[in-house]
Amino acid sequence: MKKALITGITGQDGSYLAELLLYLNYEVHGIIRRSSCFNTSRIDHLMNKDFFYLYHGDLTDSSCLSKLINKIEPDEIYNLGAQSHVAVSFQMPEYTVDTIVKGTLSLLESTRAFEEKIGKKVKFYQASSSEMFGKVVEIPQKETTPFYPRSPYACAKVYAYHQCINYRESYNMFISNGILFNHESPRRGETFVTKKIVNGLIDIKKKKKKKLYLGNLNSKRDWGFAPEYVNAMYMMLQQEYPDDFVIATGEVHTVKEFLDCCLEKLELDYSCVEYNIPSYMRPAEVDILVGDNTKAREKLGWIPKVKFKHLIDIMISSELKRL
């Protein structure tokens, strides 16, 4: 039975990945942060599953990571843990950089030391981000597109990406970067714009609030379905050799298009929406992100199936059902 260690297991991607690996008969180990309140709602349904284990830890605590890796002896490590909200990274730049930069470096070094100690190869997945492309220099973006980060989050992810390549080439480690474009689901965090629109409009429909406040509606994004993107992570680590892959649908839509679809499905109009709110605008905007998934299609055989409007249907239907 293979063993997998997941950082960020309580997040959207971590929870879907844990489900997938358990289904594939993995022994799944996850690291969660110790806090005064539990934040495990996305994985509560897995708590009583066989071969599912959780540990308290922190990505910035290298000694803790080293102890856990030596104890678990994982075959695969998926590094999904981070402060992952771009807008928050402007408000908390040092914390964001600590979790991404120091966290990734600590995990890489602990993995390298473990491999050296027992002579076992570990396959390592690094969650990179389309935000690294930032102020894009070509459309669509692919694996060879230069990075132009526009936030503390994106700058930190660029560092982590290059450090992963450095460890791969310096120590002959199996490390793959997944450059994932926006991917959504019913488990998306409440502060991300897609979930904020869905939940806000449903609250308005149910007379729980009167207005939805948003920032820039003209931003263009490539939105996919999170469970499909998690499957791509797994596929990367099943290859004979490590490599870096853009994971995207190749379709671009504005925030306004997402909002319009939600308004139509919920039979609402713009009278309940206020936008271009200054407090919701980024200091440095990223105007367009759309990925070229040719390499993932050809080398991994990965093909996204859930389209834009179907994704919105899934998110709205799930939230209405939950309520």
Side-chain angles (χ1 to χ4, degrees):
M1 178 179 283
K2 285 186 177 180
K3 298 179 183 178
L5 174 62
I6 304 172
T7 70
I9 197 168
T10 59
Q12 169 187 252
D13 292 4
S15 63
Y16 283 123
L17 179 61
E19 287 178 350
L20 172 65
L21 295 179
L22 287 169
Y23 174 77
L24 294 171
N25 296 316
Y26 274 65
E27 186 175 295
V28 176
H29 301 258
I31 299 176
I32 60 174
R33 284 172 295 175
R34 181 72 179 93
S35 64
S36 58
C37 58
F38 289 106
N39 184 30
T40 59
S41 59
R42 295 184 182 95
I43 56 171
D44 282 345
H45 63 294
L46 301 177
M47 291 299 192
N48 295 321
K49 293 276 189 182
D50 292 334
F51 310 115
F52 182 71
Y53 308 94
L54 294 178
Y55 309 86
H56 286 117
D58 194 294
L59 281 171
T60 60
D61 186 340
S62 57
S63 63
C64 171
L65 293 176
S66 183
K67 288 176 183 176
L68 283 175
I69 289 172
N70 279 280
K71 175 181 179 179
I72 296 164
E73 298 189 352
D75 298 284
E76 298 172 2
I77 294 176
Y78 295 85
N79 184 27
L80 313 183
Q83 190 301 100
S84 60
H85 198 283
V86 175
V88 172
S89 78
F90 284 103
Q91 301 163 15
M92 303 174 66
E94 291 183 30
Y95 174 71
T96 300
V97 170
D98 269 353
T99 60
I100 296 172
V101 169
K102 185 179 178 182
T104 301
L105 182 57
S106 296
L107 200 56
L108 286 169
E109 184 59 20
S110 297
T111 304
R112 183 200 63 77
F114 170 70
E115 289 188 348
E116 190 175 88
K117 177 182 176 183
I118 70 168
K120 174 182 178 178
K121 283 287 184 183
V122 179
K123 292 186 173 183
F124 189 107
Y125 171 83
Q126 171 63 18
S128 293
S129 169
S130 61
E131 287 286 336
M132 299 189 302
F133 295 119
K135 190 175 181 180
V136 300
V137 299
E138 67 176 343
I139 300 171
Q141 297 87 55
K142 50 185 180 287
E143 290 80 5
T144 56
T145 302
F147 299 137
Y148 195 144
R150 299 271 280 172
S151 67
Y153 168 80
C155 290
K157 281 293 186 181
V158 170
Y159 171 90
Y161 171 89
H162 284 298
Q163 195 64 272
C164 283
I165 293 175
N166 179 44
Y167 268 70
R168 181 169 73 202
E169 295 178 350
S170 299
Y171 303 113
N172 193 32
M173 296 172 69
F174 191 112
I175 303 171
S176 291
N177 282 288
I179 307 173
L180 273 57
F181 281 64
N182 293 63
H183 46 289
E184 318 300 314
S185 76
R187 298 182 192 174
R188 191 53 145 153
E190 305 290 328
T191 57
F192 289 84
V193 69
T194 52
K195 194 67 181 294
K196 182 179 177 182
I197 289 171
V198 169
N199 287 12
L201 292 182
I202 288 175
D203 282 347
I204 290 168
K205 184 75 173 177
K206 292 183 172 292
K207 310 296 185 185
K208 292 182 179 179
K209 63 164 60 170
K210 293 182 178 180
K211 287 280 186 180
L212 171 64
Y213 300 97
L214 298 169
N216 180 17
L217 300 188
N218 296 319
S219 294
K220 298 176 181 178
R221 294 293 184 269
D222 182 330
W223 279 297
F225 187 42
E228 294 185 334
Y229 284 47
V230 161
N231 195 41
M233 299 176 190
Y234 167 76
M235 295 168 79
M236 286 181 215
L237 296 199
Q238 310 318 305
Q239 304 304 300
E240 186 176 358
Y241 301 106
D243 206 346
D244 308 318
F245 295 90
V246 161
I247 303 299
T249 68
E251 295 183 8
V252 64
H253 299 275
T254 62
V255 174
K256 184 179 185 301
E257 285 179 78
F258 192 98
L259 174 62
D260 287 344
C261 281
C262 292
L263 286 169
E264 182 182 351
K265 290 179 185 299
L266 292 167
E267 299 179 326
L268 295 169
D269 58 42
Y270 271 84
S271 63
C272 65
V273 181
E274 289 189 21
Y275 53 94
N276 289 333
I277 305 298
S279 59
Y280 294 131
M281 308 291 274
R282 295 183 186 182
E285 285 289 345
V286 173
D287 297 322
I288 180 170
L289 294 173
V290 54
D292 180 347
N293 62 24
T294 301
K295 185 177 177 180
R297 285 175 177 267
E298 293 178 351
K299 289 197 171 184
L300 301 178
W302 179 83
I303 300 173
K305 296 178 181 178
V306 175
K307 301 297 184 182
F308 180 68
K309 289 189 176 181
H310 185 195
L311 172 62
I312 293 172
D313 283 338
I314 291 171
M315 294 181 71
I316 289 177
S317 297
S318 177
E319 185 62 18
L320 288 172
K321 183 179 179 181
R322 185 185 70 81
L323 293 172

